Amino acid sequence: MKKRLGVLISGRGSNLQALIDAVADGRLDATLAVVISNREDAPGLDRALAAGIATVVVSHKGWPSRQDFDRELVRHLQTYRVDLVCLAGFMRLVGQPMIDAFPHAIVNIHPSLLPAFPGVDAQGQAVAYGVKVAGVTVHLVTPELDGGPIVAQRTVPVLDTDTAESLSARILVEEHRLYPEAVALLLAGGWQLDGRRFISASR
Ligand code: GAR
């Protein structure tokens, strides 16, 4: 049985597209079971529809508490029998109900070399700080923002001429390569955690 992925988005969905393309051409042996967006106008929803993937919109607004929003996400993900949750530009903190429902089975992609520059506008933070090397991180999700065990990283040089936009564009190219690879690594199994360290099976 193929593992079933649920992808959570908030916007453009280019990393979702990278997963769709990787499944289509066999780099990723999985089923894209559902795409959930917290914004009904997220362009990524059109990518899911075009690929024939079920979509659900769960607005983050209007819930009595954050946990209630989380529980609604869990409900949909369980309805679609999701094994691994992939955050792809999902700009909400993931709370305890999600972590409890999917232990070590929520993964995120972040456009910096964590633990540097967590949070929003990581690429702008990197340019403003003046680092010479930036990059991308895929990590397991814990309640701490962008703080979970690191599954994979790639570096991207920062050029003297870079703006946040130009750096973002080059990092994005690496994101689209790395995310399907890292998801495939997770799905292959045999990996373990040693404290915060992700030890892959192929070591
Ligand atoms: C990507 O650069 C992703 O790494 C980033 O948002 C962008 C979403 O683009 N995520 C974060 O910053 C999470 N903290 P996309 O919607 O085209 O995939």
Side-chain angles (χ1 to χ4, degrees):
M1 278 288 276
K2 283 187 198 289
K3 295 282 187 187
R4 296 171 63 81
L5 306 181
V7 184
L8 269 52
I9 64 169
S10 296
R12 180 176 58 181
S14 72
N15 279 291
L16 163 65
Q17 189 67 53
L19 296 174
I20 292 171
D21 294 346
V23 168
D25 68 21
R27 277 175 292 137
L28 187 53
D29 186 23
T31 299
L32 286 158
V34 64
V35 171
I36 303 179
S37 173
N38 65 308
R39 296 187 178 277
E40 65 180 357
D41 59 351
L45 288 170
D46 295 331
R47 299 178 189 266
L49 288 172
I53 305 164
T55 60
V56 176
V57 175
V58 181
S59 173
H60 56 279
K61 294 183 189 154
W63 298 97
S65 75
R66 262 205 19 220
Q67 281 74 12
D68 291 299
F69 169 61
D70 253 58
R71 278 192 277 271
E72 183 67 357
L73 294 177
V74 168
R75 192 174 71 77
H76 287 292
L77 291 164
Q78 288 177 339
T79 298
Y80 284 91
R81 293 178 286 114
V82 163
D83 299 298
L84 181 70
V85 182
C86 302
L87 310 186
F90 183 65
M91 296 313 214
R92 309 299 305 174
L93 262 179
V94 166
Q96 205 60 49
M98 279 278 287
I99 309 254
D100 291 345
F102 295 96
H104 295 147
I106 309 175
V107 63
N108 182 40
I109 185 156
H110 183 76
S112 79
L113 290 177
L114 290 170
F117 313 127
V120 295
D121 190 26
Q123 307 95 327
Q125 292 184 58
V127 170
Y129 194 94
V131 294
K132 301 300 186 194
V133 181
V136 47
T137 302
V138 176
H139 65 92
L140 295 176
V141 171
T142 62
E144 189 195 346
L145 174 68
D146 297 327
I150 292 170
V151 176
Q153 288 185 308
R154 278 290 144 76
T155 58
V156 174
V158 182
L159 311 178
D160 290 348
T161 50
D162 262 332
T163 60
E165 290 71 32
S166 63
L167 179 62
S168 298
R170 289 206 318 289
I171 290 175
L172 198 60
V173 173
E174 288 305 323
E175 291 188 45
H176 296 163
R177 290 187 186 130
L178 187 62
Y179 209 12
E181 282 178 29
V183 170
L185 184 68
L186 283 168
L187 292 183
W191 51 268
Q192 45 186 296
L193 292 178
D194 176 10
R196 304 191 26 93
R197 296 184 73 197
F198 176 92
I199 313 291
S200 71
S202 54
R203 187 169 63 142

